[in-house]
Amino acid sequence: MSQRSAFRVDVLEGARIAVFSLKANRLRTVLTTLGIGIGVATLLAIVGIIQGLNTSFHKQLATFGANTMYVSKWPWMIKGDWWKYRNRKNFTLEQMHRLRTLAPFVTAMSPAVSRLSDVAHGGEQMSTVRIQGVTHEYLNISGYEITGGRFLTEADDATTRPVAVVGADVVDGLFPGVSPVGQSIRIDNRTFQVVGTLSRKGKMVGESMDLIVFIPFKTFYSSFGKGRSFEIAMAVEDASQMRSAEDQLTGIMRRVRSTPPGAEDDFSINRPEAMAQTYEQLTGALYGVAVGVGLITLLVGGIGIMNIMLVSVRERTREIGVRRALGARKRTIVFQFLMEASSVSAVGGLLGTTVGLGTAKVVSLITPLAADVQPMTVVAGVGFAALVGLLFGIWPAARAANLDPVEALRYE
């Protein structure tokens, strides 16, 4: 018999005996499987929720547009001294106009200022609606689309008309089943005529992007005061050159703001990509925690497998002695016990995967948290569980294979 045929016979014989042993000790098999299953279920449930959040976040972030930048006195993600940003000087319209002249790579630019207000129509009222003052170019930057009527025009801003374009949540809340175009709304007891409606964009970091009303920038200032700081929203022609455009914009802004050489920038350039990087840093820490919890649980399950396999070796010492006396090779004994350990772990991993995916799905249905497990994550979970069983089964398998046949036959 060739070595390859002998190896195949050893594997098949080891697998047959392993299956028979697992069936004969059902309770022990179930308990061992349960330990591994809990570890895999815990790991996949947490990872599934994190991956779902990542997928949802990047989809929401895509609505900003890959070629947009927002210049403000405030960074989107504040790190360090809050008062440092608070004490920066507000932007002026003159600075924005100079920026437009000096930045030929910018295809659209608009100031943007906002506040939260109550909005009412008839007997219906909505609170904490974001009122945002912008110009006509903001539509080409924001990623919103018009679903009815029109967007703000240059004439609306120049003449400070009391007109408004409303988001999808405002339409649902104030005009159920009715077109709002041509009707009036009240914003802090000021009357505005609705001239357009916006497409739905969903939520961003838990905040609805459809609970919004756009009004002309100058109308905002004349209605709610000029003391508020505004940011400058802009779109760049080539999305692939965003890094270069940001570097150029930094130099232009320092010139526009008359920032002295060597002084720190007194403005922040915010990009959706930078927010994504910060978000990934945060979720990276969560991944670390999830993997740590999962590994600890799998470690406990692996130790349980090793202990139970050692007990199995002791109980079957005489059986091993008989097989060795009849000519069974050491490697056949090793294969048998390794297959038992890895089979139990693989089954536990499969069950844990099912429970983990189910838990993540239930969480996504009853809470705002999304869940999305990638196929490779499932394969990795089951494969890693089997590997844990294989590794922790090495010592019991080696101990069984190295038993002295004579001593084993005497064992009672």
Side-chain angles (χ1 to χ4, degrees):
M1 183 182 294
S2 66
Q3 290 186 351
R4 181 177 298 178
S5 298
F7 178 78
R8 188 183 300 114
V9 170
D10 286 343
V11 171
L12 293 175
E13 182 67 13
R16 185 186 67 80
I17 296 175
V19 171
F20 177 79
S21 176
L22 292 176
K23 287 182 178 179
N25 298 277
R26 291 184 177 86
L27 180 59
R28 180 185 300 168
T29 302
V30 170
L31 293 176
T32 310
T33 302
L34 186 62
I36 292 293
I38 291 174
V40 175
T42 303
L43 183 61
L44 284 186
I46 298 175
V47 170
I49 293 172
I50 294 175
Q51 288 183 344
L53 289 174
N54 286 343
T55 301
S56 176
F57 179 81
H58 284 93
K59 285 181 180 179
Q60 294 168 7
L61 203 61
T63 62
F64 275 98
N67 64 331
T68 59
M69 291 189 291
Y70 298 80
V71 184
S72 171
K73 64 183 287 185
W74 301 95
W76 282 350
M77 309 295 286
I78 295 179
K79 297 179 181 178
D81 187 5
W82 180 85
W83 284 101
K84 178 180 72 173
Y85 306 110
R86 173 67 178 82
N87 292 331
R88 288 175 173 177
K89 293 181 180 179
N90 292 341
F91 292 147
T92 65
L93 289 177
E94 180 184 358
Q95 290 175 348
M96 190 190 75
H97 295 322
R98 287 188 62 197
L99 174 61
R100 184 62 182 269
T101 303
L102 297 172
F105 52 85
V106 173
T107 58
M109 182 180 294
S110 170
V113 61
S114 63
R115 62 172 291 173
L116 298 178
S117 298
D118 294 336
V119 179
H121 168 74
E124 302 292 337
Q125 179 172 317
M126 302 182 72
S127 58
T128 63
V129 178
R130 182 170 296 279
I131 312 300
Q132 195 152 11
V134 297
T135 63
H136 64 288
E137 292 187 70
Y138 192 77
L139 185 65
N140 298 323
I141 304 169
S142 63
Y144 284 100
E145 295 180 0
I146 294 294
T147 57
R150 63 173 176 84
F151 196 66
L152 306 174
T153 65
E154 195 170 1
D156 291 334
D157 191 57
T159 58
T160 64
R161 290 176 184 167
V163 294
V165 179
V166 297
D169 284 351
V170 178
V171 174
D172 294 341
L174 300 182
F175 303 94
V178 180
S179 173
V181 177
Q183 301 196 52
S184 296
I185 58 174
R186 296 187 307 279
I187 304 175
D188 287 352
N189 294 321
R190 294 177 176 85
T191 301
F192 290 79
Q193 183 183 22
V194 178
V195 295
T197 57
L198 299 167
S199 59
R200 187 174 296 279
K201 289 189 72 173
K203 292 185 177 182
M204 183 65 187
V205 198
E207 181 179 351
S208 174
M209 301 179 71
D210 302 307
L211 194 63
I212 193 167
V213 174
F214 289 112
I215 64 176
F217 180 77
K218 291 183 179 178
T219 304
F220 184 101
Y221 268 5
S222 65
S223 300
F224 305 113
K226 298 183 178 181
R228 296 176 181 272
S229 172
F230 66 85
E231 68 178 355
I232 303 173
M234 63 191 75
V236 178
E237 183 176 5
D238 188 355
S240 64
Q241 301 297 321
M242 288 297 291
R243 180 66 65 182
S244 174
E246 183 178 354
D247 293 339
Q248 295 181 58
L249 185 61
T250 299
I252 294 172
M253 283 301 301
R254 290 181 65 88
R255 179 179 173 184
V256 167
R257 298 273 281 178
S258 301
T259 306
E264 186 180 359
D265 294 341
D266 61 344
F267 57 87
S268 295
I269 299 177
N270 299 306
R271 291 173 50 201
E273 181 182 342
M275 182 183 288
Q277 292 174 353
T278 303
Y279 178 81
E280 288 170 359
Q281 291 175 359
L282 296 174
T283 54
L286 291 178
Y287 261 123
V289 173
V291 171
V293 171
L295 290 178
I296 291 172
T297 311
L298 286 174
L299 177 63
V300 173
I303 293 173
I305 287 179
M306 183 175 64
N307 288 333
I308 289 177
M309 294 302 296
L310 287 172
V311 171
S312 180
V313 170
R314 182 176 298 175
E315 290 179 348
R316 294 156 62 187
T317 299
R318 188 175 182 82
E319 172 198 328
I320 295 169
V322 171
R323 294 184 61 205
R324 293 283 284 119
L326 294 175
R329 297 180 177 89
K330 286 186 177 183
R331 71 182 184 187
T332 304
I333 305 298
V334 170
F335 285 147
Q336 173 192 337
F337 282 91
L338 287 182
M339 285 182 180
E340 285 186 33
S342 59
S343 298
V344 169
S345 294
V347 172
L350 186 60
L351 294 176
T353 298
T354 304
V355 174
L357 295 181
T359 302
K361 188 65 177 177
V362 170
V363 170
S364 68
L365 291 175
I366 64 178
T367 70
L369 299 175
D372 179 28
V373 180
Q374 304 299 326
M376 285 306 299
T377 304
V378 176
V379 174
V382 177
F384 189 72
L387 180 61
V388 167
L390 194 63
L391 291 176
F392 281 89
I394 290 176
W395 184 23
R399 186 170 179 176
N402 290 319
L403 286 175
D404 183 86
V406 176
E407 295 297 327
L409 286 170
R410 293 175 179 173
Y411 185 81
E412 294 294 337

